[in-house]
Amino acid sequence: MLHTWPPFSETRAEEVQPIEAAFTVAPDILAIEGDFAYGEYLSSECTTCHQATGANDGIPGIIGWETEDFVIAMHAYREKHRENPVMQMITGRLADDEIAALASYFKSLGE
Amino acid sequence: MALNRRSFLGASAAGLSVLAAPTVQAAGHGKPRVVVIGGGAGGATAARYIAKDSKGEVDVTLVEPTRTYYTCFFSNLYLGGFKSISDIGHTYGGLAARGVNVVHDWATGVDRAAKTVTLAGGATLNYDKLILSPGIDFVDGAVEGWDITAQNKMPHAYKAGSQSELLKAQLAAMPEGGTFMMVAPPNPYRCPPGPYERVSMVAHYLKNNNPTAKIIVADPKPKFSKMALFQEGWANHYEGMIDWIGEDFGGGNVSVDPGAMTVTIDGEVTKADVCNVIPAMKAGRIAEIAGVTDGNWAPVNAADMSTKADPDVYVLGDASQQGDMPKSGFSANSQAKVCANAVRGALTGSRVFPAKFSNTCWSLIDTNDGVKVGATYEATDEKIAKVDGFISATGETSDVRKATYEESEGWYTGITNDMFS
Ligand SMILES: Cc1cc2nc3c(=O)[nH]c(=O)nc-3n(C[C@H](O)[C@H](O)[C@H](O)COP(=O)(O)OP(=O)(O)OC[C@H]3O[C@@H](n4cnc5c(N)ncnc54)[C@H](O)[C@@H]3O)c2cc1C
């Protein structure tokens, strides 16, 4: 499946690196149902830098993304297919279900 | 039960309700009450998150004497001319609008048996849970010849606001070719790269306004945070301007004379035009008054930031002794969220999730030359323990450095919204 990047117009294209076309996430991982409340708690680690309003100020907004785009982006950082040492480090200790939980929570913020 | 990610994930499959703390019935009064002392990086964040997430179920009072909080973070950029003083000032109206009862007063006493806090204005507050995030105070007698009465002659500017403005005014008034001196602090202290970012920002100002001026740093440490990055940057941008005297060259053997404006380093007397004294630090005094310190800092349990001395008293940020995290605004903010989740759980029975901590400290060396260091941490039985980390590399391209600086701007907006909005 082809994913265009960035997923939403709120995020300026030049601020987000494209994911390598070859990068894929297994369907069973994409299918994980996110635990919303856990995502809300985990999101507080993200909102130190990424504004909960979705504003872009030197750091891209991450709210309202389609769940699948969010999950793929996080896995791409975790597997070091995308650069940025902060993001590689933060995602480096997120389990698959935690990424799913975050995706579910941040999607809701954009609704 | 010690909680690590693995046991948590196991529980997660079986349903998270097993982790929820039992509801504590607040005895004899309506809502459970949380008092937070100190409205800085730790305290403002904790108050905001408990109020926001408990949706009115918990009564949150924040005690903070100042009406405008000036962030120490980016106060060096103010010295360098990259920010105005109003850029780094933040008020408490947003927290009040979220339902936090903001009381502008000093906490002067804590009675842990009666569970009360007394304020300078005379009021008494009851609490079920007390969170202290009072930042730092200075160790008496740490720098021979200096005490707090000398802070106008030799500012510390290590609590931001009027001290930052004073240091900036003194910098601007320096005679041509004058000498700026810094007495750097011993470990552990707030913001490990802070003094060296400050040296960079002072050098930036002087390069543009007083290029023959000199900077001398007397340092009791043999090495410091991001040392290779700073030294590379100083050589690239400020060649010949900065003289760093470390422990090996007597940098720890220092006394000052604020009247004569002299600094004696290992027996050698130097006349300073500006002298920035950053003394050794300890937990903000109220932590000691509350009886939760051991030596200079307050030991805490990593899982929830409760003190070793009292399970109903929590200490966040610089004042805490928690293990591997540096004393930074980012760390205080991170600890506050873990604490808020645990406190709310204990008071309302809401789900409590395992502690996850992180920190990143950005520093600006010169225009668009930003560097960063960061790490993730987890709670062990013993301490907050480092899991993984990174640091900017020497010799990075100017594009990377510019992006790093822009990222720090984004972080500043993010964290101040996360504290005050
Ligand atoms: C020059 C400099 C640069 C820095 N740069 C960075 C950076 O780039 N990134 C970063 O993450 N960190 C940075 N820091 C560190 C950061 O500012 C501190 O680590 C952070 O503020 C600690 O948060 P805190 O809540 O422990 O204390 P503080 O933020 O200092 O808050 C403590 C609050 O408690 C109040 N208080 C104290 N006693 C009482 C009392 N008895 N009653 C009521 N209120 C009380 C004070 O008025 C104060 O507002 C820097 C620090 C300095 C000095």
Side-chain angles (χ1 to χ4, degrees), chain B residues 385-404:
Chain B
K386 182 171 167 177
V387 177
D388 188 16
F390 71 88
I391 184 165
S392 296
T394 52
E396 284 172 338
T397 64
S398 54
D399 285 355
V400 169
R401 292 298 177 85
K402 182 162 184 279
T404 301

Side-chain angles (χ1 to χ4, degrees), chain B residues 37-43 63-66 69 72-76 92 105-108 133-136 157-159 190-191 194 197-198 286 316-319 327-332 359-362 411:
Chain B
I37 299 180
V63 183
E64 164 61 51
T66 65
Y69 173 82
C72 284
F73 26 109
F74 276 20
S75 68
N76 289 326
Y92 292 90
D105 205 343
W106 284 96
T108 50
S133 195
I136 53 107
Y158 234 64
K159 297 182 184 189
R190 118 179 316 182
C191 195
E197 183 189 54
R198 176 170 295 170
I286 194 70
L316 306 176
D318 293 355
K327 297 185 187 298
S328 75
F330 199 124
S331 296
N359 175 62
T360 299
C361 283
W362 287 265
W411 163 76

Side-chain angles (χ1 to χ4, degrees), chain B residues 9 15 21 25 33 41 45 67-68 72 91 96 105 107 114 126 179 186 277 279 305 328 348 368 371 386:
Chain B
L9 289 173
Q25 297 299 336
R33 289 170 300 199
T45 306
R67 279 159 211 278
T68 303
C72 284
T91 56
D105 205 343
N126 296 296
T179 303
V277 176
M305 305 302 290
S328 75
T348 70
N368 287 328
V371 292
K386 182 171 167 177

